[in-house]
Amino acid sequence: ISAASGAVLARAPGRCFMALLPGGRMLGAGLANCRSNAGTDKSLQLLNDGQWVPLPGIQIPKDAHVRLIAATATGSRMAYVVRFRDGTSAIQIVNLTAGTWDKNLRFGKDSLLTKLIFSSDGSKLVMAGNGTLGEWQIDAPSADGNGVLRSLPGTVLFPQAVASSGQRLLVGGGLE
């Protein structure tokens, strides 16, 4: 939709948990991730020129569903959260430029992430949900090579908005 005129510029079939990329492209997850009776497509997909195309080399495990997607402002990286049948979750970082998996974090049972946002330079990922707030310093040196995870002060039970200026972080929820 054009912000200036309000005219519809293009249409595309719906997907779950969409994230905007530069150049009018988008990322999304197949409808089986967020709707019952919507088939079996759980793939991560790229909208390019009005067509959804599966991202090559990324397989969602059979016992998991995509729950969130975030992308860097440059479109070089994406993060997605999967929730497994056993109640555990994981965040996977994908290098979209190279088309390869980069790093991942696994979370215990009953973790519930509801918002993800990358820093402006794409080196950090802020995650919020279930009364917790954390920052994954993806590129920070660490013994396991997986970056550094730190807890941030403050709690928001069900965050609905997360924004960062690079100096400040704003997190808000409807039940606070």
Side-chain angles (χ1 to χ4, degrees):
I1 297 176
S2 166
S5 69
V8 174
L9 302 176
R11 294 182 189 271
R15 291 296 180 267
C16 306
F17 312 110
M18 294 187 296
L20 190 60
L21 291 171
R25 298 176 309 145
M26 295 185 83
L27 294 165
L31 293 177
N33 289 291
C34 63
R35 295 183 186 168
S36 58
N37 301 320
T40 59
D41 182 10
K42 296 191 300 179
S43 67
L44 289 169
Q45 302 171 17
L46 173 67
L47 179 66
N48 202 2
D49 294 326
Q51 298 294 316
W52 288 106
V53 179
L55 288 173
I58 299 175
Q59 295 291 331
I60 305 303
K62 290 186 187 295
D63 67 334
H65 286 82
V66 175
R67 305 314 305 153
L68 291 172
I69 299 174
T72 60
T74 63
S76 61
R77 268 184 172 162
M78 72 172 286
Y80 64 94
V81 174
V82 291
R83 184 158 175 90
F84 295 92
R85 193 174 297 128
D86 67 3
T88 61
S89 296
I91 299 176
Q92 180 70 49
I93 304 293
V94 175
N95 179 326
L96 290 172
T97 305
T100 58
W101 284 21
D102 194 359
K103 300 179 181 186
N104 67 65
L105 283 178
R106 190 85 187 224
F107 294 90
K109 207 168 191 158
D110 298 325
S111 60
L112 180 61
L113 297 172
T114 56
K115 286 293 176 187
L116 295 177
I117 184 175
F118 277 99
S119 61
S120 59
D121 67 357
S123 68
K124 298 174 188 170
L125 182 70
V126 173
M127 58 204 87
N130 211 25
T132 62
L133 187 59
E135 178 186 72
W136 183 6
Q137 300 170 6
I138 303 162
D139 297 326
S142 64
D144 65 0
N146 215 21
V148 174
L149 181 63
R150 71 177 183 141
S151 292
L152 298 174
T155 60
V156 178
L157 186 58
F158 293 111
Q160 295 174 340
V162 178
S164 174
S165 67
Q167 300 297 315
R168 293 183 181 202
L169 182 65
L170 171 67
V171 181
L175 300 175
E176 310 319 314

Short mmCIF file of all heavy atoms in Angstrom, two decimals, residues 95-148:
data_model
loop_
_atom_site.label_atom_id
_atom_site.label_comp_id
_atom_site.label_asym_id
_atom_site.label_seq_id
_atom_site.Cartn_x
_atom_site.Cartn_y
_atom_site.Cartn_z
N ASN A 95 22.65 -16.30 8.15
CA ASN A 95 23.34 -15.32 7.33
C ASN A 95 22.65 -15.35 5.96
O ASN A 95 22.83 -16.29 5.20
CB ASN A 95 24.82 -15.68 7.21
CG ASN A 95 25.59 -14.72 6.34
OD1 ASN A 95 25.07 -14.18 5.37
ND2 ASN A 95 26.84 -14.51 6.70
N LEU A 96 21.81 -14.36 5.70
CA LEU A 96 21.05 -14.34 4.45
C LEU A 96 21.92 -14.06 3.23
O LEU A 96 21.58 -14.47 2.12
CB LEU A 96 19.92 -13.32 4.53
CG LEU A 96 18.79 -13.68 5.49
CD1 LEU A 96 17.82 -12.51 5.65
CD2 LEU A 96 18.05 -14.92 5.01
N THR A 97 23.04 -13.37 3.43
CA THR A 97 23.94 -13.08 2.32
C THR A 97 24.57 -14.37 1.81
O THR A 97 24.63 -14.62 0.60
CB THR A 97 25.04 -12.09 2.76
OG1 THR A 97 24.41 -10.93 3.29
CG2 THR A 97 25.93 -11.69 1.60
N ALA A 98 25.04 -15.21 2.74
CA ALA A 98 25.68 -16.47 2.36
C ALA A 98 24.68 -17.62 2.25
O ALA A 98 24.99 -18.67 1.68
CB ALA A 98 26.75 -16.83 3.39
N GLY A 99 23.49 -17.44 2.83
CA GLY A 99 22.49 -18.52 2.82
C GLY A 99 22.84 -19.66 3.76
O GLY A 99 22.53 -20.81 3.47
N THR A 100 23.50 -19.35 4.88
CA THR A 100 23.94 -20.39 5.81
C THR A 100 23.48 -20.11 7.23
O THR A 100 23.27 -18.96 7.62
CB THR A 100 25.49 -20.47 5.83
OG1 THR A 100 26.02 -19.20 6.21
CG2 THR A 100 26.03 -20.87 4.47
N TRP A 101 23.35 -21.18 8.01
CA TRP A 101 23.09 -21.04 9.44
C TRP A 101 24.32 -20.44 10.08
O TRP A 101 25.45 -20.75 9.70
CB TRP A 101 22.83 -22.39 10.07
CG TRP A 101 21.48 -22.95 9.79
CD1 TRP A 101 20.63 -22.62 8.78
CD2 TRP A 101 20.82 -23.95 10.55
NE1 TRP A 101 19.49 -23.35 8.86
CE2 TRP A 101 19.58 -24.19 9.93
CE3 TRP A 101 21.15 -24.68 11.67
CZ2 TRP A 101 18.67 -25.12 10.42
CZ3 TRP A 101 20.26 -25.61 12.15
CH2 TRP A 101 19.03 -25.81 11.53
N ASP A 102 24.13 -19.59 11.05
CA ASP A 102 25.24 -18.93 11.71
C ASP A 102 25.40 -19.45 13.14
O ASP A 102 26.33 -20.17 13.45
CB ASP A 102 25.04 -17.41 11.68
CG ASP A 102 26.27 -16.62 12.04
OD1 ASP A 102 27.31 -17.22 12.33
OD2 ASP A 102 26.19 -15.39 12.02
N LYS A 103 24.48 -19.10 14.02
CA LYS A 103 24.56 -19.48 15.42
C LYS A 103 23.18 -19.82 15.93
O LYS A 103 22.17 -19.49 15.31
CB LYS A 103 25.14 -18.33 16.24
CG LYS A 103 26.53 -17.95 15.77
CD LYS A 103 27.10 -16.81 16.55
CE LYS A 103 28.48 -16.48 15.99
NZ LYS A 103 29.17 -15.49 16.74
N ASN A 104 23.13 -20.48 17.11
CA ASN A 104 21.82 -20.77 17.70
C ASN A 104 21.91 -20.82 19.21
O ASN A 104 22.97 -21.04 19.77
CB ASN A 104 21.22 -22.06 17.13
CG ASN A 104 22.00 -23.27 17.55
OD1 ASN A 104 22.07 -23.60 18.72
ND2 ASN A 104 22.60 -23.96 16.59
N LEU A 105 20.77 -20.58 19.84
CA LEU A 105 20.61 -20.69 21.29
C LEU A 105 19.43 -21.60 21.55
O LEU A 105 18.41 -21.50 20.87
CB LEU A 105 20.29 -19.33 21.92
CG LEU A 105 21.41 -18.34 22.13
CD1 LEU A 105 20.84 -17.05 22.73
CD2 LEU A 105 22.49 -18.90 23.02
N ARG A 106 19.56 -22.45 22.55
CA ARG A 106 18.45 -23.34 22.94
C ARG A 106 17.95 -22.90 24.31
O ARG A 106 18.75 -22.56 25.18
CB ARG A 106 18.97 -24.77 22.97
CG ARG A 106 17.94 -25.83 23.13
CD ARG A 106 17.35 -26.21 21.78
NE ARG A 106 16.23 -27.11 21.98
CZ ARG A 106 16.03 -28.19 21.28
NH1 ARG A 106 16.84 -28.50 20.30
NH2 ARG A 106 15.00 -28.95 21.52
N PHE A 107 16.63 -22.89 24.50
CA PHE A 107 16.02 -22.48 25.75
C PHE A 107 15.24 -23.65 26.34
O PHE A 107 14.72 -24.48 25.60
CB PHE A 107 15.07 -21.30 25.53
CG PHE A 107 15.78 -20.06 25.09
CD1 PHE A 107 15.97 -19.79 23.75
CD2 PHE A 107 16.27 -19.16 26.02
CE1 PHE A 107 16.64 -18.66 23.34
CE2 PHE A 107 16.94 -18.02 25.62
CZ PHE A 107 17.13 -17.77 24.28
N GLY A 108 15.16 -23.66 27.66
CA GLY A 108 14.49 -24.75 28.37
C GLY A 108 12.99 -24.77 28.19
O GLY A 108 12.39 -23.93 27.51
N LYS A 109 12.41 -25.72 28.85
CA LYS A 109 10.97 -25.94 28.78
C LYS A 109 10.21 -24.71 29.27
O LYS A 109 10.64 -24.02 30.19
CB LYS A 109 10.62 -27.14 29.66
CG LYS A 109 9.40 -27.84 29.23
CD LYS A 109 9.27 -29.15 29.94
CE LYS A 109 8.17 -29.90 29.24
NZ LYS A 109 8.20 -31.28 29.41
N ASP A 110 9.10 -24.45 28.63
CA ASP A 110 8.18 -23.37 28.96
C ASP A 110 8.75 -21.97 28.75
O ASP A 110 8.23 -21.00 29.29
CB ASP A 110 7.66 -23.51 30.40
CG ASP A 110 6.87 -24.80 30.57
OD1 ASP A 110 6.19 -25.20 29.60
OD2 ASP A 110 6.94 -25.41 31.65
N SER A 111 9.82 -21.85 27.98
CA SER A 111 10.28 -20.51 27.60
C SER A 111 9.30 -19.99 26.55
O SER A 111 8.83 -20.73 25.70
CB SER A 111 11.70 -20.56 27.04
OG SER A 111 11.74 -21.38 25.89
N LEU A 112 8.99 -18.71 26.64
CA LEU A 112 8.02 -18.14 25.71
C LEU A 112 8.53 -16.79 25.23
O LEU A 112 8.40 -15.79 25.92
CB LEU A 112 6.65 -17.97 26.39
CG LEU A 112 5.54 -17.39 25.53
CD1 LEU A 112 5.26 -18.29 24.33
CD2 LEU A 112 4.28 -17.19 26.35
N LEU A 113 9.17 -16.78 24.07
CA LEU A 113 9.64 -15.54 23.48
C LEU A 113 8.54 -14.98 22.61
O LEU A 113 7.97 -15.68 21.79
CB LEU A 113 10.91 -15.80 22.67
CG LEU A 113 12.10 -16.31 23.47
CD1 LEU A 113 13.23 -16.71 22.54
CD2 LEU A 113 12.56 -15.28 24.46
N THR A 114 8.25 -13.69 22.78
CA THR A 114 7.17 -13.08 22.01
C THR A 114 7.62 -11.91 21.15
O THR A 114 6.87 -11.45 20.30
CB THR A 114 6.03 -12.61 22.94
OG1 THR A 114 6.56 -11.72 23.92
CG2 THR A 114 5.38 -13.80 23.64
N LYS A 115 8.84 -11.42 21.33
CA LYS A 115 9.36 -10.33 20.50
C LYS A 115 10.86 -10.49 20.31
O LYS A 115 11.58 -10.86 21.23
CB LYS A 115 9.11 -8.96 21.14
CG LYS A 115 7.68 -8.50 21.07
CD LYS A 115 7.27 -8.22 19.64
CE LYS A 115 5.82 -7.85 19.56
NZ LYS A 115 5.35 -7.73 18.21
N LEU A 116 11.31 -10.20 19.10
CA LEU A 116 12.74 -10.16 18.74
C LEU A 116 13.00 -8.89 17.97
O LEU A 116 12.18 -8.48 17.15
CB LEU A 116 13.11 -11.32 17.81
CG LEU A 116 13.02 -12.75 18.27
CD1 LEU A 116 13.36 -13.67 17.11
CD2 LEU A 116 13.95 -13.00 19.42
N ILE A 117 14.17 -8.27 18.21
CA ILE A 117 14.57 -7.12 17.41
C ILE A 117 16.10 -7.08 17.35
O ILE A 117 16.76 -7.28 18.36
CB ILE A 117 14.00 -5.79 17.98
CG1 ILE A 117 14.37 -4.62 17.08
CG2 ILE A 117 14.42 -5.58 19.40
CD1 ILE A 117 13.73 -3.30 17.50
N PHE A 118 16.63 -6.87 16.16
CA PHE A 118 18.07 -6.71 15.99
C PHE A 118 18.49 -5.29 16.30
O PHE A 118 17.71 -4.35 16.08
CB PHE A 118 18.48 -7.01 14.53
CG PHE A 118 18.67 -8.47 14.23
CD1 PHE A 118 17.66 -9.19 13.62
CD2 PHE A 118 19.86 -9.10 14.53
CE1 PHE A 118 17.83 -10.52 13.31
CE2 PHE A 118 20.05 -10.44 14.23
CZ PHE A 118 19.03 -11.16 13.62
N SER A 119 19.74 -5.12 16.75
CA SER A 119 20.33 -3.79 16.85
C SER A 119 20.51 -3.25 15.44
O SER A 119 20.47 -4.00 14.46
CB SER A 119 21.67 -3.85 17.59
OG SER A 119 22.59 -4.67 16.87
N SER A 120 20.74 -1.94 15.33
CA SER A 120 20.85 -1.33 14.00
C SER A 120 22.00 -1.90 13.17
O SER A 120 21.92 -1.96 11.96
CB SER A 120 20.97 0.19 14.12
OG SER A 120 22.11 0.52 14.89
N ASP A 121 23.07 -2.35 13.84
CA ASP A 121 24.20 -2.92 13.10
C ASP A 121 24.10 -4.44 12.94
O ASP A 121 24.97 -5.07 12.34
CB ASP A 121 25.53 -2.54 13.76
CG ASP A 121 25.72 -3.15 15.13
OD1 ASP A 121 24.81 -3.85 15.64
OD2 ASP A 121 26.81 -2.92 15.72
N GLY A 122 23.05 -5.05 13.51
CA GLY A 122 22.83 -6.49 13.35
C GLY A 122 23.70 -7.37 14.23
O GLY A 122 23.67 -8.59 14.11
N SER A 123 24.47 -6.78 15.14
CA SER A 123 25.37 -7.58 15.98
C SER A 123 24.72 -8.08 17.26
O SER A 123 25.28 -8.94 17.94
CB SER A 123 26.62 -6.76 16.33
OG SER A 123 26.27 -5.69 17.19
N LYS A 124 23.54 -7.54 17.61
CA LYS A 124 22.85 -7.94 18.83
C LYS A 124 21.39 -8.24 18.51
O LYS A 124 20.81 -7.66 17.59
CB LYS A 124 22.89 -6.81 19.87
CG LYS A 124 24.29 -6.46 20.31
CD LYS A 124 24.26 -5.25 21.22
CE LYS A 124 25.68 -4.77 21.52
NZ LYS A 124 25.66 -3.48 22.21
N LEU A 125 20.83 -9.14 19.29
CA LEU A 125 19.42 -9.48 19.16
C LEU A 125 18.78 -9.36 20.53
O LEU A 125 19.21 -10.02 21.47
CB LEU A 125 19.26 -10.92 18.63
CG LEU A 125 17.84 -11.40 18.40
CD1 LEU A 125 17.21 -10.68 17.21
CD2 LEU A 125 17.81 -12.90 18.17
N VAL A 126 17.80 -8.48 20.65
CA VAL A 126 17.05 -8.34 21.90
C VAL A 126 15.85 -9.26 21.82
O VAL A 126 15.16 -9.31 20.81
CB VAL A 126 16.60 -6.88 22.13
CG1 VAL A 126 15.68 -6.78 23.34
CG2 VAL A 126 17.81 -5.98 22.29
N MET A 127 15.64 -10.01 22.90
CA MET A 127 14.52 -10.93 22.97
C MET A 127 13.72 -10.67 24.24
O MET A 127 14.30 -10.33 25.27
CB MET A 127 14.99 -12.36 22.90
CG MET A 127 15.97 -12.74 23.99
SD MET A 127 17.02 -14.11 23.57
CE MET A 127 18.34 -13.26 22.75
N ALA A 128 12.41 -10.76 24.13
CA ALA A 128 11.55 -10.49 25.27
C ALA A 128 10.40 -11.48 25.29
O ALA A 128 9.96 -11.95 24.25
CB ALA A 128 11.01 -9.06 25.19
N GLY A 129 9.94 -11.77 26.48
CA GLY A 129 8.79 -12.63 26.63
C GLY A 129 8.75 -13.30 27.98
O GLY A 129 9.78 -13.50 28.63
N ASN A 130 7.54 -13.63 28.41
CA ASN A 130 7.33 -14.38 29.64
C ASN A 130 8.00 -13.73 30.85
O ASN A 130 8.56 -14.41 31.70
CB ASN A 130 7.82 -15.81 29.45
CG ASN A 130 7.03 -16.80 30.26
OD1 ASN A 130 5.89 -16.54 30.60
ND2 ASN A 130 7.63 -17.92 30.57
N GLY A 131 7.99 -12.39 30.89
CA GLY A 131 8.55 -11.67 32.02
C GLY A 131 10.05 -11.51 32.00
O GLY A 131 10.64 -11.06 32.99
N THR A 132 10.71 -11.85 30.90
CA THR A 132 12.16 -11.71 30.82
C THR A 132 12.55 -10.84 29.63
O THR A 132 11.81 -10.70 28.66
CB THR A 132 12.86 -13.07 30.67
OG1 THR A 132 12.43 -13.68 29.46
CG2 THR A 132 12.56 -13.98 31.85
N LEU A 133 13.73 -10.28 29.74
CA LEU A 133 14.29 -9.43 28.70
C LEU A 133 15.77 -9.77 28.58
O LEU A 133 16.48 -9.81 29.60
CB LEU A 133 14.10 -7.96 29.10
CG LEU A 133 14.44 -6.87 28.12
CD1 LEU A 133 13.63 -7.01 26.83
CD2 LEU A 133 14.17 -5.51 28.75
N GLY A 134 16.24 -10.07 27.38
CA GLY A 134 17.63 -10.45 27.21
C GLY A 134 18.23 -9.86 25.95
O GLY A 134 17.52 -9.43 25.04
N GLU A 135 19.56 -9.85 25.93
CA GLU A 135 20.29 -9.37 24.76
C GLU A 135 21.34 -10.40 24.40
O GLU A 135 22.16 -10.79 25.23
CB GLU A 135 20.99 -8.04 25.10
CG GLU A 135 21.82 -7.51 23.94
CD GLU A 135 22.61 -6.28 24.36
OE1 GLU A 135 23.59 -6.44 25.13
OE2 GLU A 135 22.24 -5.19 23.91
N TRP A 136 21.28 -10.86 23.16
CA TRP A 136 22.26 -11.80 22.64
C TRP A 136 23.26 -11.00 21.84
O TRP A 136 22.93 -10.45 20.79
CB TRP A 136 21.57 -12.84 21.80
CG TRP A 136 22.45 -13.93 21.26
CD1 TRP A 136 23.76 -14.17 21.53
CD2 TRP A 136 22.05 -14.94 20.34
NE1 TRP A 136 24.20 -15.26 20.83
CE2 TRP A 136 23.16 -15.77 20.10
CE3 TRP A 136 20.85 -15.23 19.70
CZ2 TRP A 136 23.12 -16.85 19.24
CZ3 TRP A 136 20.80 -16.31 18.84
CH2 TRP A 136 21.92 -17.12 18.63
N GLN A 137 24.49 -10.90 22.34
CA GLN A 137 25.57 -10.24 21.63
C GLN A 137 26.19 -11.29 20.70
O GLN A 137 27.12 -11.99 21.05
CB GLN A 137 26.57 -9.66 22.62
CG GLN A 137 25.95 -8.64 23.54
CD GLN A 137 26.87 -8.24 24.69
OE1 GLN A 137 28.02 -8.62 24.76
NE2 GLN A 137 26.33 -7.45 25.61
N ILE A 138 25.61 -11.38 19.52
CA ILE A 138 25.88 -12.48 18.60
C ILE A 138 27.35 -12.57 18.19
O ILE A 138 27.91 -13.65 18.09
CB ILE A 138 25.00 -12.33 17.33
CG1 ILE A 138 23.53 -12.29 17.72
CG2 ILE A 138 25.26 -13.45 16.34
CD1 ILE A 138 22.62 -11.73 16.64
N ASP A 139 27.98 -11.43 17.96
CA ASP A 139 29.35 -11.41 17.47
C ASP A 139 30.40 -11.27 18.56
O ASP A 139 31.60 -11.21 18.26
CB ASP A 139 29.52 -10.29 16.45
CG ASP A 139 28.63 -10.49 15.23
OD1 ASP A 139 28.41 -11.65 14.84
OD2 ASP A 139 28.14 -9.49 14.68
N ALA A 140 29.98 -11.21 19.83
CA ALA A 140 30.95 -11.07 20.94
C ALA A 140 31.76 -12.35 21.08
O ALA A 140 31.22 -13.45 20.94
CB ALA A 140 30.22 -10.76 22.24
N PRO A 141 33.06 -12.21 21.36
CA PRO A 141 33.89 -13.41 21.56
C PRO A 141 33.38 -14.21 22.76
O PRO A 141 33.01 -13.65 23.79
CB PRO A 141 35.28 -12.84 21.84
CG PRO A 141 35.24 -11.42 21.41
CD PRO A 141 33.81 -10.98 21.48
N SER A 142 33.36 -15.54 22.61
CA SER A 142 32.95 -16.42 23.70
C SER A 142 33.66 -17.76 23.55
O SER A 142 34.13 -18.10 22.46
CB SER A 142 31.44 -16.61 23.71
OG SER A 142 31.02 -17.27 22.54
N ALA A 143 33.71 -18.52 24.63
CA ALA A 143 34.41 -19.80 24.62
C ALA A 143 33.81 -20.77 23.61
O ALA A 143 34.52 -21.51 22.95
CB ALA A 143 34.39 -20.42 26.02
N ASP A 144 32.48 -20.75 23.47
CA ASP A 144 31.83 -21.68 22.55
C ASP A 144 31.64 -21.11 21.14
O ASP A 144 31.10 -21.77 20.26
CB ASP A 144 30.50 -22.16 23.12
CG ASP A 144 29.47 -21.05 23.26
OD1 ASP A 144 29.77 -19.89 22.92
OD2 ASP A 144 28.36 -21.35 23.72
N GLY A 145 32.04 -19.84 20.95
CA GLY A 145 31.90 -19.21 19.64
C GLY A 145 30.48 -18.80 19.30
O GLY A 145 30.19 -18.41 18.17
N ASN A 146 29.59 -18.86 20.28
CA ASN A 146 28.18 -18.59 20.04
C ASN A 146 27.73 -17.23 20.55
O ASN A 146 26.54 -16.97 20.67
CB ASN A 146 27.34 -19.70 20.69
CG ASN A 146 26.11 -20.03 19.88
OD1 ASN A 146 26.05 -19.74 18.69
ND2 ASN A 146 25.14 -20.63 20.52
N GLY A 147 28.67 -16.34 20.87
CA GLY A 147 28.31 -15.02 21.37
C GLY A 147 28.01 -15.04 22.86
O GLY A 147 28.24 -16.03 23.54
N VAL A 148 27.49 -13.92 23.35
CA VAL A 148 27.24 -13.75 24.78
C VAL A 148 25.77 -13.38 24.99
O VAL A 148 25.25 -12.50 24.32
CB VAL A 148 28.15 -12.63 25.36
CG1 VAL A 148 27.80 -12.34 26.80
CG2 VAL A 148 29.62 -13.02 25.20
#
